[in-house]
Amino acid sequence: MAAEPTFEELFRLAKRSAVHLEMRDGYMQSDPSFISWQNDPRSIPAERDPDMRPWLALMQEIIGRGVKVRRARVVSEPISDYIRFEHHVTPSNVLAGEQVRWLPRRKASDLALPGNDFWLFDDSLVVFLHFTGDGELSPEGDEERTTDPAVVALCRTAFEAVWERAIPHEEYRPS
């Protein structure tokens, strides 16, 4: 039996799209870049350098092949320190080709959203991401994959509803 593709390989296998819905106000509090930024927002070295941030190189690669990558973030306002950090480093993601939008949580109250953050690849595979209460990846298994058509439809619909209301990164001014 063949091994499942790694998370990175899923991006390389994508043919049309990869969309990400983020709904937490904090992630990976142990991230060295976040800790450095907390001490001095100007201290993050080479935040725009794909050699220093492999994610950017991966995004440039897949977007260069024509895959559309969109990321929507539902955030509480005033925003947390972690979300302020994400906002600070997001211009690099945008330069790499990602489209990013922000939706204040108070504008999402009437939307039906899944219980976990997810990536949706080519409208056919959902990868749910599981985190602990303090934002670290869950030790019991940090992801769950499904191709169930009902779950795919739920995630596609939820993402598009958030995307439609959300504010493009270039216009979002966090409070």
Side-chain angles (χ1 to χ4, degrees):
M1 185 167 162
E4 280 191 331
T6 66
F7 194 62
E8 184 175 319
E9 289 169 342
L10 291 175
F11 288 95
R12 292 199 167 96
L13 292 169
K15 293 177 177 35
R16 297 177 314 282
S17 65
V19 301
H20 187 31
L21 183 60
E22 297 178 19
M23 299 177 285
R24 297 180 53 88
D25 287 320
Y27 298 89
M28 311 296 287
Q29 304 293 310
S30 62
D31 177 353
S33 293
F34 173 60
I35 293 167
S36 179
W37 177 87
Q38 283 182 304
N39 294 324
D40 178 5
R42 296 163 297 168
S43 68
I44 304 173
E47 69 185 44
R48 295 176 190 241
D49 181 352
D51 290 331
M52 299 297 290
R53 284 187 62 201
W55 178 260
L56 300 178
L58 178 62
M59 290 301 100
Q60 289 172 341
E61 174 190 328
I62 69 163
I63 291 164
R65 284 193 296 106
V67 175
K68 187 175 186 180
V69 179
R70 296 183 295 158
R71 179 188 303 259
R73 293 176 169 141
V74 178
V75 296
S76 300
E77 291 181 322
I79 63 173
S80 68
D81 281 348
Y82 193 88
I83 297 300
R84 195 169 308 286
F85 162 73
E86 281 192 331
H87 191 268
H88 176 83
V89 298
T90 294
S92 299
N93 296 63
V94 172
L95 279 172
E98 280 189 59
Q99 298 174 45
V100 181
R101 292 187 181 180
W102 304 80
L103 182 64
R105 192 172 309 282
R106 70 181 179 283
K107 294 183 178 183
S109 297
D110 61 338
L111 299 178
L113 302 174
N116 292 290
D117 291 9
F118 64 84
W119 278 95
L120 173 60
F121 295 93
D122 290 332
D123 290 330
S124 62
L125 171 68
V126 176
V127 179
F128 287 108
L129 303 172
H130 299 291
F131 296 91
T132 63
D134 56 358
E136 301 298 325
L137 289 169
S138 176
E140 289 93 36
D142 57 3
E143 68 176 56
E144 172 187 352
R145 298 177 185 195
T146 184
T147 56
D148 179 309
V151 177
V152 167
L154 166 73
C155 291
R156 179 179 43 250
T157 301
F159 180 86
E160 294 302 336
V162 169
W163 188 258
E164 183 178 304
R165 290 184 187 182
I167 303 161
H169 176 73
E170 299 78 11
E171 298 171 23
Y172 181 63
R173 301 293 173 256
S175 59

